[in-house]
Structure formats: C-alpha cells, structure tokens
Amino acid sequence: MSDMQVKSVGIDSPTSWRTKLTHLGPGLILAAASVGAGDMITSISGAATYGMGLLWVAALGLLVKFGITEAVGRHYIASGATIVAGARTVAVWLPYLLFGFFLVVAVVFGAGLSSVAALALSTLVPSIPVVPASIAISVLAAAIVLRGRYSALEATMKWFIALKFGLMVVLAGITLVQLEDWGAFFGSMRPAFPSGSLIDVIALIGGVGGTAGIAAYSYWVREKQWNSPNWLPMMRLDAATSYLIIFVFVVATTIVGTGLVYGTGRSVKGTDGLAALADPLGADLGSATRILFLVTFFVVVFAALIGGFNGLSYLLADSLRTIRRVPLDAVESYVSEKSWVFRSFVLLCLLSSVAIVFTGRPVALVLVYAAIGSLVLPILSACLLVMLNRRDIAPNLRNGLASNAVLTTALVLFVVLAAVQIVESF
C-alpha cells in the first residue's frame, strides 16, 4: 500500500448523464485556476499577428495537457497516491525538488496575480491605488481558501467559471456583431505557423492551460473521494470538461483579439499592455464594453489567484508530509484544508505576496514564476510514464499506447519549453 493510499468509502459513481454533470468539480476548479492573465495575453497577442490562425496550436496544447491531467487523476484512482507521494517512488529526492519548485512559485505567484488584478481595477477606476488594492485582493483570495471546506471552494469556483467564461463569450459576441471586415476575419482562420519557428509553437502550447494546477488535480479528486476504478469515467469526463471550457475561453479571447488588433498594428506586450487595450477597445466598441473587458480581466485573474493559493498549499503540504515520511494515519494533519500545515502555507502565499508588492516589481517576478513553473510539467510527465507503466497497476488503469505517446510528447515539448523560458528569464 502506498503511503498516501485511502480506503474506498463505498460511494457509487453516477451512471446517468444528468447525475454526472452534477458531480463535476475538480476539473471546474482546474479550469478556473488555470486560465489567467497569461492565457488572455497569449491569445490576444497571437491574434494581433495571426488572427484566428493559431487556434490549432491552442487545441494541440490543451489536448496534451488533458492527457497529463487524465494521467494524474488515473494514477490517484489506481494507487491511492497523490502525485508527490507517487514521485517519491520514482526517486526519493524528487519530493525535495518539487517542494523547492512549489515554494518559489508560492512566494512570487500571489504578488504577480494580485498586482495584475489591481491594475485592472485601477484602470477601471483611476482613484483606486494599485498597492492597497493588490493587498486587499490577496487577503480576500486567502480568506476564501481558508474557509476550510472543499465543497465551499468548489461552489465558489463554479460561480467564477460561469462568470469569467460567460463574460468572455459575451465580449466575443459583441466583437462579432460590430465586426466590419468579415473577409479578413475569415481569411485569418487559415492555420498559421508562428514566425516559422518551432520554439514559438512550443511556447504557445505551454502558454494555454495550467502548470502547477495540473499537479494539484489529484488533491481535488481525492477530496471528491473518487478513489476506485468505477470513478474513472467520471474523472475523465470531469477533466475533459475542464479543457473544453478552457478551449471555449481561448476561442472567445482570440475572436476579441482578432476583431480589435488583427491588422491594426497594435500589440499587446505584458499585462500592462493588456490592461491598456481597454482604452482602444472602448473607443471601438463603446465604454460599456471597455468596462466589461476590465471586469472580465479582473475576474479571470482573481479566480486564478484563489485556485493557485489552494493548489499550491496542497502541493507544499503534501511535499512536506512526503519528505518527513508522515504515516498514513496522520495524513489528514497535513493534506487537508483544515490542517494547520495547509493553512500555514496559505498564509505564506498571502504574506509573501504582500511583502513583494511593496518591492515595486511584482509583475516582473511573474517571469520567475513562469520559468520555475515550466519545470513542473516535464517532471510530472516523466513520473507518470514510470508510475503508470508498472506491473502493480491494474491492467485497465495502466498507460495504453495513446497515453504513453501523449506523455512522451509532453515530456519532450516541455523540456524544450522549460529550457527556453529559463534562458529568456535569467
């Protein structure tokens, strides 16, 4: 038995589609946590040059990340082990490495996202000071996570999913209604290859969907008590729904970007540029649309901040538990939203975000987060290739040809991407 196994509690998996839809949860949290300012920047920046021509890259990236997420969930169902506990069976030093990665990400993550969210508020209402707003946003996000119940988090994130994706679809609809050059719009749908560079394609693949959030998926699956093979179809539906929602968001964002900046010479560089896009957007589509865009931007980033605080605290708490080899009967004292260890890491995320905001360089530190975060996916892919091909995994839960192909592709792609991001950041 793995040191992170749990016993089945006898909950039957749903059989009807209606019941299955009501059970969706971990994937919705993943979608809310994974889609942030970076996805909006990537989509709109790509649309500025290529219009709708890069959607194939987004689709490919999300398909690869679905393969990793499905494997993370399947590994938990097959072994009862979370991803960090499983990583220790691959190499005893891996939990130490992962703890270091997650700790760095946790320290810089909150400051970057809260500052970006505050920037959107300040752009919307110039009288709002960015630093106090950033601190207030971090405190509110941490308070939501510290409520200490997974069911409450899931319910909150479902509302954010409906809000952030609904608003983005509305923005796309407004853009299409007021579109003047339909010929250029449809012409941009021809699949394009960014700058003729394979590296650019790999960067775009890595730029959609999550990184550390994918690793946290097993903790949300654990909270749902999907801990037996009969839950496998439900978990796969949950993960697939997550990436379908993210793809709809990317399509909507790309439509907005194509309608506003394609062929105009405008560019969107960094989070400042994205917020600044609100002004020409208002000039083109009206002040109400400008407000809608900034509200959408804020909601997208704030939801990602909540999901990040929760997921990173799980990953850090479990990494510490695994390093200290805490026995099975004491697991809940670490890997639980009510444990003091989990809550301590939430407070660490909060306090570090507040401290870094006062340095005046929180958004720049997002580059550090991106570089370190990019290292998680190749490690995750490599571990899953080892863990899910073992003989002690039930045959129906082991990797098949397709899973091995996706994980191997992900390993190669994200090793290259990690190398590029580290070089560019440092």
Side-chain angles (χ1 to χ4, degrees):
M1 177 179 282
S2 163
D3 68 345
M4 191 57 189
Q5 281 185 327
V6 293
K7 295 180 180 180
S8 172
V9 293
I11 300 176
D12 294 329
S13 61
T15 55
S16 69
W17 276 101
R18 177 176 296 181
T19 309
K20 285 181 179 180
L21 292 176
T22 63
H23 275 72
L24 294 175
L28 299 181
I29 297 176
L30 178 62
S34 297
V35 175
D39 296 83
M40 294 185 73
I41 293 167
T42 299
S43 300
I44 295 180
S45 295
T49 305
Y50 302 100
M52 305 292 291
L54 295 184
L55 282 179
W56 72 271
V57 180
L60 178 59
L62 293 176
L63 182 62
V64 170
K65 290 186 176 181
F66 164 74
I68 302 174
T69 304
E70 186 274 343
V72 169
R74 180 158 44 90
H75 171 260
Y76 175 74
I77 289 173
S79 66
T82 60
I83 195 64
V84 176
R88 187 179 181 278
T89 68
V90 177
V92 293
W93 49 267
L94 271 177
Y96 295 89
L97 181 63
L98 290 171
F99 182 77
F101 285 168
F102 297 141
L103 187 61
V104 172
V105 172
V107 166
V108 301
F109 171 84
L113 264 67
S114 63
S115 295
V116 171
L119 182 63
L121 285 182
S122 181
T123 305
L124 184 62
V125 183
S127 60
I128 296 178
V130 173
V131 171
S134 178
I135 294 171
I137 289 167
S138 292
V139 170
L140 181 57
I144 291 173
V145 176
L146 287 171
R147 290 170 68 184
R149 290 188 298 118
Y150 169 80
S151 58
L153 174 73
E154 184 181 291
T156 300
M157 296 302 261
K158 283 180 178 179
W159 279 105
F160 273 113
I161 280 287
L163 188 58
K164 70 195 285 187
F165 292 97
L167 289 174
M168 200 67 237
V169 170
V170 169
L171 278 172
I174 293 172
T175 302
L176 290 175
V177 167
Q178 301 198 34
L179 195 64
E180 295 179 355
D181 192 349
W182 283 96
F185 180 81
F186 284 115
S188 73
M189 290 183 177
R190 183 175 65 255
F193 199 87
S195 306
S197 170
L198 181 60
I199 297 298
D200 289 339
V201 173
I202 295 174
L204 285 168
I205 289 174
V208 293
T211 51
I214 295 176
Y217 184 69
S218 64
Y219 301 97
W220 299 322
V221 168
R222 176 177 176 268
E223 292 287 354
K224 291 289 279 189
Q225 299 181 345
W226 295 350
N227 47 25
S228 60
N230 63 317
W231 283 101
L232 183 62
M234 183 67 238
M235 185 277 295
R236 284 174 169 162
L237 174 63
D238 180 73
T241 301
S242 172
Y243 287 98
L244 178 61
I245 291 172
I246 294 174
F247 184 66
V248 170
F249 181 89
V250 172
V251 171
T253 310
T254 304
I255 289 173
V256 172
T258 303
L260 292 176
V261 296
Y262 179 61
T264 65
R266 297 175 189 162
S267 63
V268 180
K269 294 182 179 179
T271 50
D272 292 331
L274 185 58
L277 183 62
D279 291 329
L281 186 148
D284 291 345
L285 302 181
S287 59
T289 305
R290 175 183 180 274
I291 294 172
L292 182 62
F293 175 81
L294 289 170
V295 170
T296 303
F297 187 28
F298 172 80
V299 171
V300 165
V301 178
F302 185 59
L305 184 63
I306 296 170
F309 277 2
N310 183 273
L312 286 167
S313 298
Y314 267 125
L315 290 164
L316 285 165
D318 194 32
S319 296
L320 183 62
R321 184 206 66 83
T322 305
I323 290 169
R324 299 188 66 183
R325 301 190 183 186
V326 173
L328 183 62
D329 58 3
V331 163
E332 290 297 320
S333 65
Y334 279 75
V335 192
S336 165
E337 290 183 334
K338 295 181 179 180
S339 76
W340 69 267
V341 179
F342 177 92
R343 290 171 175 264
S344 295
F345 282 122
V346 175
L347 291 175
L348 172 67
C349 292
L350 170 61
L351 293 176
S352 61
S353 68
V354 171
I356 292 174
V357 162
F358 282 107
T359 68
R361 295 177 56 84
V363 176
L365 288 174
V366 173
L367 294 175
V368 178
Y369 156 66
I372 299 299
S374 68
L375 296 172
V376 173
L377 289 179
I379 293 174
L380 198 58
S381 302
C383 287
L384 290 167
L385 278 168
V386 173
M387 295 185 298
L388 287 172
N389 281 295
R390 287 173 170 161
R391 292 183 179 274
D392 60 348
I393 297 294
N396 63 320
L397 295 173
R398 277 184 219 148
N399 278 351
L401 184 61
S403 294
N404 281 325
V406 170
L407 291 173
T408 301
T409 300
L411 176 60
V412 173
L413 288 176
F414 294 126
V415 163
V416 173
L417 178 59
V420 170
Q421 287 192 319
I422 290 172
V423 169
E424 290 181 349
S425 298
F426 301 104

